[in-house]
Structures are given as structure tokens and as C-alpha cells.
Amino acid sequence: MDECPEPLQQDRGPVLVRRQRPAPQGLCEMLKARLWRSCSCSVLCARALVQDLLPATRWLRQYRPREYLAGDVMSGLVIGIILVPQAIAYSLLAGLQPIYSLYTSFFANLIYFLMGTSRHVSVGIFSLLCLMVGQVVDRELQLAGFDPSQEGLQPGANSSILNSSAAMLDCGRDCYAIRIATALTLMTGLYQVLMGVLRLGFVSAYLSQPLLDGFAMGASVTILTSQLKHLLGVRIPRHQGPGMVVLTWLSLLRSAGQANVCDVVTSTVCLVVLLAAKELSDRYRRRLRVPLPTELLVIVVATLVSHFGQLHRRFGSSVAGDIPTGFMPPQVPEPRLMQRVALDAVALALVGAAFSISLAEMFARNHGYSVCANQELLAVGCCNVLPAFLHCFATSAALAKSLVKTATGCRTQLSSVVSATVVLLVLLALAPLFHDLQRSVLACVIVVSLRGALRKVWDLPRLWRMSPADALVWAGTAATCMLVSTEAGLLAGVILSLLSLAGRTQRPRATLLARIGNSAFYEDATEFEGLVPEPGVRVFRFGGPLYYANKDFFLRSLYSLTGLDAGCVAARRKERGSEWEVGDGGPAQGKDLGAVSSRAALAPAAAGFHTVVIDCAPLLFLDAAGVTTLQDLRRDYGALGISLLLACCSPPVRDALSRGGFLGEGPGDVAEEEQLFLSVHNAVQTARARHRELEATDAHP
């Protein structure tokens, strides 16, 4: 719309507002300009590129030690102390040796320190990714001929299990397991880096919060189920595929009588201590400057008790076994294994990217700074690509450690260097001290860490009251994760989210509006009382976009609310001449209006209105089918002598109408001024004025 038909009253009188059209730019010119900006090279451009890829080179120059150093050191020490027991424990989930979890925690902290844009996120091992890695590792081990029930943490298991497949690989179970994990990690990182290079950070936004919460809930139940055998000290087969949770529970019930008493007692004591300490920490969080390192204390005490009590030798309790010190030489992941796990890596890449970006944006909003989603993808991707050559497995941001990091005074990612230093100390000297640590204690650490995710089930009733569609996404994702698999749960969540989004746009709320007293405002006549309907005018609001998927619903809603099926009546009128009928929702009539000289005489009196005004304020966009629908609607109403007016159209909607030929050909076409209005009230008043003019013309020919 080039000119506004409604002048704005100012102090100096009426002013005519003109819309400024953007200067047209051809596709070739636009691509040429972008290519020139991308390929132009200078010292400033090179410096900016380095700072974008390595944000630490920018913020380190502005680092203020007096303000930041104390908080960064404190939070780094606390996170490092938490990382050590969690790294050892989460190796159970991944089916790998504890040393690889320590490697992962060390390198991930250093790389994210250099490349991350978030100041508070803690990147490292994450329980959900460990579970997904462990499931792929177990499947590939079984295909290679290994016994999946033989745990990688079993003492002496590194070289004792060989069969024909293993002999061909010249590799034992644990060696082959880390090869699978590194191949999976490299593919995951490559996907994430590729997403960052292609600037696909927005893709993670389609993994909604109900989807992520439901996925976390379902995966947490799966993790809890997988750790019950360690809590009870029983050996059961590791089930794979659909129904893994149910089959594992059945196996546990059958083997409950073979539980190791020592492991059961140890698990009970550790769970009570850890849960009580967590509850006390939550209750007195404001009084505690530093969270209690309960996991580390429990692991230290349990290791001492197991060592001096000889629990492994006397009661057959499973222990961590030998944990070597130092670093292993780099090794390139096998291309053959990368091909086998390429599809599995897609789910890991999406989950890791979604959690990392959402956490980074959440902490950025809370602390008043901004992050770059695409750079976060590059950072997390490099945290997987580079360590994959150094015997590490998939990582991402973790909520629990990030919250602790913030609570202990973290100001920058320098705290990650401190945490990596703590892990390095364990790697170089302290790792062998955990030889006699019981696996049941590690399982307790994992189970207690799931407390927050499992509590999300209590949010489901509130979510249902807020949005039933989101609650169904949550429940469907969680149920599929538990009953089928984590990958299927993620896929089901994405499909349900897209269906929910499509359903909301395909069947939005459609209402008729009425006037609020003598004001210029209009609202839903069914939702508010005391509204005054405009005589002879129907104001229709469609609360969503108008596109190919909902155009039929748009017409059905309009015809139902107004009581006149304009398309059907216009077609019958065309066939029968001047005979017409009012459709469903209005009284049926058969009446010959005869030949008349004005449009007012053509309006069907039984319909009760002469103009339809569509409030286009909620109309987000129009596609070609939407524009065609409005054109056909205007034609059908015009055949019945009813005017169609549009109000409150946004610039994109006006552009779509103009490009689709709805507004005529010229930029100042009269049809545009007669059909588009800045407000509903202006459209209604114009419609009534035009109708009075037509009535006056008929009265005085």
C-alpha cells in the first residue's frame, strides 16, 4: 500500500503517510556482494576471523584478574572435584574404561575454553550422550562377537576376551570399544562442525523444550534401569533394541535372588548419604558458598573401605580395576567403523548441539550477554573432532555442572582451565588409587545425578494445563525413549513437535469480532460480554497464517461464522440466474431479486450483512494458495454484492497481496485504497459509509 487513506492528525494538521518501498536488488547483485564480502582479505578481516573462531583471544585481553580470578579459580576447583568421580562413574554408561572419561573431561574443557562463547557453560561428559554412546558400543561389540554382558571395567578384561573376530582385529574388548566410541565421536563432531559452517544453529530451535525435557526423562529412566544391575551386583545380559527397559527389568526380577549382599548394602548406604546431602545442599543453597563435594567424599571413603576390607576378594564385589596414568599416543579412528556408526552419530550431534546451544543461551540471558549459536556448534563440534584422535568420546554442555559453576562464582571460561588442571592431576598421579572402588558406588553417583531429570515428571500436569500439545510431545518422547530406544524417542519427539506446530497453524482460532462500546477497538464476541456488533458488517479474525494447508479451514470457518457459503451460493446463482440460497448456518431462501441497477440491491438480505472485514493482524504470512483463496473469496462475495475489505495488514502480507495480483497492477491503484485499511474500525466505518451512499443512490435515482 503506497498511500494511507486515513490521515494522521498531528499538531500541524493532517499528514499523508506514504510507504517507502525497498530498492529492488537482483539475485546476481546480492550474491556478488556477499561473495565479495566473504572473499575480501585484509589484516583486519584476518584478525576478526581468528577472534571469531577463537573467542578467547578477544576476552582474555579484557580479563580483569582482581574481579574475576578468585571466582574462576574457586568454580574451576569445585567443577574439577565433581568431574573426577563423575568421569569414572559415567564410564559405566559408555561401556568404556574410566581413563577415557578422564581424557574426555580434560580435552573438552581446554578446547571449549578457546572456542566457546558462553562464559558459564561447563562442557564435558554428559549422561545422556554417554548412554547413547554405550548403546552403540554394545551393539557393535555384539556384532564383532564379544559378550556385551562382560563389562569393560572388569579387571583383566582388556586382553583376555578374544575370539575369531577379535583376532582379525588384533584387539581386545576394551580396545575395540574405544575404537567404536572414537569413530562415533568423530562423526558426531564432523556433523556439528558442518552445521556450524553452514550456519545451521537455528536448527536446534526446532528441538523444543518439552521435547528435550521428555527426552531427558525417558533417557534418565533408561540410565536408571541400566545401573540397577550394578546396584544389586548381579550379572544379566545387556539387552539391545526395542523394549530394552522392559526386558532389563524382567531379567533383574529373575536374577534378584542372586544379588550380592555386599553391593546391596554399599548401594543402600551410598544412596542414602548422597540423596540426603543433595537435599541439604538444595535447602541451604544460599548459605553455602561452595557446594559440598559429596560424590568425591563418598568415593574416597568407599575406596578406603573396599581396599582395607578386601571386599572384592572376600565378597566378590565388582571393582573398577586398574586405571593407568599418563596419556596414550594419538590414533586415527577407523573409516570402516565411521561408516557403520554414521547414522547413529546424527542423533548424538542433534542432542549435543541442542543442549549446548539452549544452555548457552539460557545463561547468556540470565547474565546479560550474548552468544553465537553457530560458534557454539563449532566449539562443541571441535570438542568432539579433535579429542576423537586422543581416545575420547562424545561431549556436550551439562546443566548440573553449569549450575554449580555459576553458583560458585564463575565469571569466564578460565575456570575450565582450572578444572582441566584438576583432572590432569588425577590422570598423571591419582588414578591408580581408585583401583578398589566398587562399581556399585559409581552406579550410585550416576543414579543420584538423575534426580533433577526424573523430577521433571511432576511438571507434566502443569504443562498439560498450559499446553496440551506440548504435554503430548513430552509424554510421547519420554514413552518412546523408554519403550523403544533413545534414538527413536528423539525422532518421535521431532515428529510430534512438527505435527503440533502444523496442527496449530492448520486449525488456528477463528472468531467474529464486535465493537467495544463507542471505542475504536474490536474483540471476540464469544469471549467478552457487552460488545456491540456492527450492523451489516461482519468482522472476521483468523489467528494464524493463511497458506495451502489451512485455506479450506479458513473458508469453512468464515462461512460457518457468517452463515453464508459464498462459494456455493455464487455457483448456484451463476447456474440459476438470480435465484440464490443461504448456506448452512443461515436461513434458506429462494427469491428472485430481479434486475437492479446498484450493488446494494445485489446484497442478499437474508444474509444480514453487506461487507466482510478480515482482521489481518494475526496473519503472519500468505503463500500463493492464500492469495488465490482471497481472490476467489472476493470474486464470490462480489457476485453476491458483498464487499471484502482487509484491515491491519503487515508489510509482508501487503507485499504478498501485491505480488499475487490481489491489489491491481499499478503502485497507486484505486483497488488498493478501497480494500486495505490501517485499522478494523476504519474499515468498518468506510464500509458503512459506502453502503449509505449506495442506499442513497437507490433512493434518489
Side-chain angles (χ1 to χ4, degrees):
M1 187 169 62
D2 295 310
E3 297 184 1
C4 171
E6 182 180 14
L8 302 177
Q9 297 295 332
Q10 295 184 353
D11 295 338
R12 298 182 180 179
V15 177
L16 184 64
V17 178
R18 294 180 179 271
R19 183 184 173 206
Q20 182 178 359
R21 292 184 176 273
Q25 185 179 13
L27 179 62
C28 294
E29 289 77 7
M30 182 182 65
L31 293 178
K32 187 183 299 183
R34 290 190 177 185
L35 186 62
W36 175 259
R37 288 196 302 266
S38 301
C39 297
S40 60
C41 184
S42 65
V43 176
L44 294 178
C45 291
R47 182 182 301 173
L49 179 62
V50 172
Q51 291 180 350
D52 290 340
L53 293 177
L54 301 174
T57 59
R58 180 183 296 114
W59 61 260
L60 276 177
R61 293 180 299 173
Q62 304 171 356
Y63 191 81
R64 290 177 280 187
R66 292 185 178 181
E67 297 182 26
Y68 300 161
L69 187 59
D72 287 341
V73 171
M74 177 61 68
S75 63
L77 288 175
V78 172
I79 293 299
I81 292 172
I82 294 175
L83 270 177
V84 172
Q86 281 194 354
I88 299 175
Y90 285 176
S91 59
L92 286 176
L93 287 176
L96 302 170
Q97 290 281 353
I99 189 66
Y100 303 127
S101 298
L102 295 173
Y103 288 161
T104 302
S105 300
F106 175 74
F107 289 112
N109 276 278
L110 291 182
I111 294 174
Y112 191 80
F113 157 74
L114 294 173
M115 301 189 65
T117 59
S118 174
R119 304 173 190 173
H120 300 88
V121 161
S122 176
V123 173
I125 52 175
F126 184 34
S127 59
L128 300 186
L129 293 189
C130 290
L131 171 67
M132 299 173 74
V133 170
Q135 290 175 342
V136 177
V137 168
D138 289 343
R139 184 196 68 202
E140 294 299 322
L141 285 175
Q142 189 172 12
L143 292 176
F146 292 100
D147 181 11
S149 63
Q150 182 68 40
E151 297 295 339
L153 295 177
Q154 185 71 21
N158 190 43
S159 59
S160 60
I161 307 175
L162 288 173
N163 56 14
S164 58
S165 299
M168 292 174 61
L169 298 169
D170 191 23
C171 185
R173 180 199 183 279
D174 292 334
C175 173
Y176 191 57
I178 190 58
R179 289 186 183 181
I180 299 168
T182 54
L184 178 64
T185 301
L186 181 57
M187 290 301 302
T188 301
L190 290 176
Y191 289 148
Q192 291 171 338
V193 170
L194 183 62
M195 291 172 62
V197 171
L198 298 178
R199 310 188 69 82
L200 299 179
F202 67 91
V203 173
S204 63
Y206 288 93
L207 301 181
S208 63
Q209 196 59 44
L211 186 155
L212 295 177
D213 290 343
F215 180 79
M217 174 63 191
S220 297
V221 173
T222 306
I223 293 172
L224 174 63
T225 302
S226 68
Q227 297 307 301
L228 288 177
K229 61 181 180 181
H230 301 298
L231 297 177
L232 300 177
V234 297
R235 293 193 59 184
I236 59 173
R238 300 190 68 164
H239 300 284
Q240 293 288 325
M244 183 197 71
V245 173
V246 177
L247 294 176
T248 303
W249 275 97
L250 294 176
S251 299
L252 287 170
L253 292 177
R254 287 193 295 264
S255 305
Q258 305 173 5
N260 188 299
V261 178
C262 179
D263 285 335
V264 172
V265 172
T266 302
S267 301
T268 304
V269 174
C270 291
L271 285 175
V272 170
V273 173
L274 289 171
L275 290 174
K278 290 293 183 182
E279 291 296 332
L280 290 175
S281 297
D282 292 343
R283 181 172 300 182
Y284 300 103
R285 182 183 306 169
R286 297 182 179 179
R287 299 183 182 181
L288 295 174
R289 295 178 58 87
V290 178
L292 297 175
T294 313
E295 293 90 347
L296 183 63
L297 294 176
V298 168
I299 283 182
V300 170
V301 173
T303 302
L304 293 175
V305 172
S306 177
H307 175 74
F308 292 105
Q310 307 255 327
L311 301 184
H312 175 60
R313 183 180 61 83
R314 293 170 58 188
F315 303 102
S317 181
S318 298
V319 296
D322 295 326
I323 304 178
T325 57
F327 292 93
M328 299 180 183
Q331 185 176 9
V332 179
E334 296 184 11
R336 179 181 60 85
L337 290 176
M338 292 172 60
Q339 295 178 0
R340 294 179 61 90
V341 300
L343 187 60
D344 301 292
V346 174
L348 267 80
L350 290 176
V351 172
F355 276 99
S356 298
I357 293 176
S358 61
L359 289 179
E361 292 178 344
M362 180 186 72
F363 284 104
R365 287 193 303 268
N366 294 341
H367 294 85
Y369 63 93
S370 61
V371 295
C372 177
N374 295 314
Q375 179 60 28
E376 285 296 306
L377 281 174
L378 289 175
V380 177
C382 290
C383 286
N384 289 321
V385 171
L386 300 179
F389 296 89
L390 302 168
H391 309 280
C392 302
F393 56 91
T395 61
S396 73
L399 175 60
K401 290 191 288 292
S402 299
L403 291 174
V404 173
K405 197 172 185 178
T406 304
T408 51
C410 172
R411 304 297 295 273
T412 68
Q413 280 298 330
L414 189 65
S415 61
S416 298
V417 179
V418 180
S419 301
T421 304
V422 176
V423 177
L424 179 63
L425 179 63
V426 176
L427 278 170
L428 297 180
L430 303 181
L433 299 179
F434 297 101
H435 177 278
D436 292 323
L437 176 61
Q438 293 172 266
R439 281 191 289 176
S440 59
V441 178
L442 299 176
C444 291
V445 173
I446 294 175
V447 170
V448 172
S449 69
L450 303 175
R451 189 174 55 113
L454 294 175
R455 281 181 172 178
K456 292 183 181 295
V457 70
W458 303 114
D459 296 338
L460 188 57
R462 180 181 60 85
L463 185 61
W464 176 264
R465 291 191 297 269
M466 292 175 55
S467 174
D470 287 340
L472 290 176
V473 171
W474 190 102
T477 304
T480 309
C481 281
M482 291 184 287
L483 299 179
V484 184
S485 65
T486 52
E487 293 83 359
L490 180 63
L491 179 61
V494 172
I495 294 175
L496 289 174
S497 295
L498 294 178
L499 290 177
S500 171
L501 179 63
R504 293 175 184 180
T505 59
Q506 190 172 358
R507 300 181 66 87
R509 181 178 175 84
T511 58
L512 284 182
L513 307 183
R515 189 175 179 182
I516 304 177
N518 294 324
S519 68
F521 302 101
Y522 294 74
E523 266 302 342
D524 185 358
T526 60
E527 186 174 353
F528 296 93
E529 298 179 354
L531 302 184
V532 181
E534 289 291 337
V537 180
R538 297 293 182 266
V539 183
F540 177 71
R541 174 184 289 170
F542 192 67
L546 180 57
Y547 66 114
Y548 68 94
N550 66 1
K551 59 183 179 62
D552 294 332
F553 178 75
F554 171 84
L555 293 175
R556 288 198 305 269
S557 301
L558 177 60
Y559 294 159
S560 174
L561 291 172
T562 58
L564 176 65
D565 189 338
C568 181
V569 173
R572 290 176 182 176
R573 185 181 182 86
K574 184 177 181 180
E575 292 178 358
R576 302 178 184 179
S578 61
E579 186 180 357
W580 66 278
E581 295 180 357
V582 176
D584 297 340
Q589 297 283 341
K591 182 177 179 182
D592 189 356
L593 297 177
V596 291
S597 60
S598 68
R599 292 177 56 196
L602 292 175
F609 59 92
H610 53 77
T611 304
V612 173
V613 177
I614 298 180
D615 181 10
C616 298
L619 216 62
L620 300 179
F621 64 88
L622 287 171
D623 67 350
V627 175
T628 303
T629 300
L630 291 179
Q631 289 175 330
D632 295 341
L633 187 64
R634 181 178 60 182
R635 181 199 62 206
D636 294 338
Y637 275 140
L640 302 177
I642 299 176
S643 300
L644 178 66
L645 306 180
L646 306 182
C648 304
C649 294
S650 63
V653 171
R654 289 198 297 265
D655 290 340
L657 293 172
S658 178
R659 291 193 301 268
F662 183 85
L663 301 178
E665 299 179 358
D669 198 285
V670 178
E672 180 175 347
E673 297 181 2
E674 291 182 353
Q675 294 177 87
L676 300 189
F677 299 87
L678 290 179
S679 67
V680 172
H681 184 64
N682 180 241
V684 171
Q685 296 303 313
T686 302
R688 296 182 63 182
R690 291 176 182 174
H691 187 65
R692 285 194 297 267
E693 291 178 1
L694 290 175
E695 288 180 336
T697 302
D698 289 341
H700 303 283

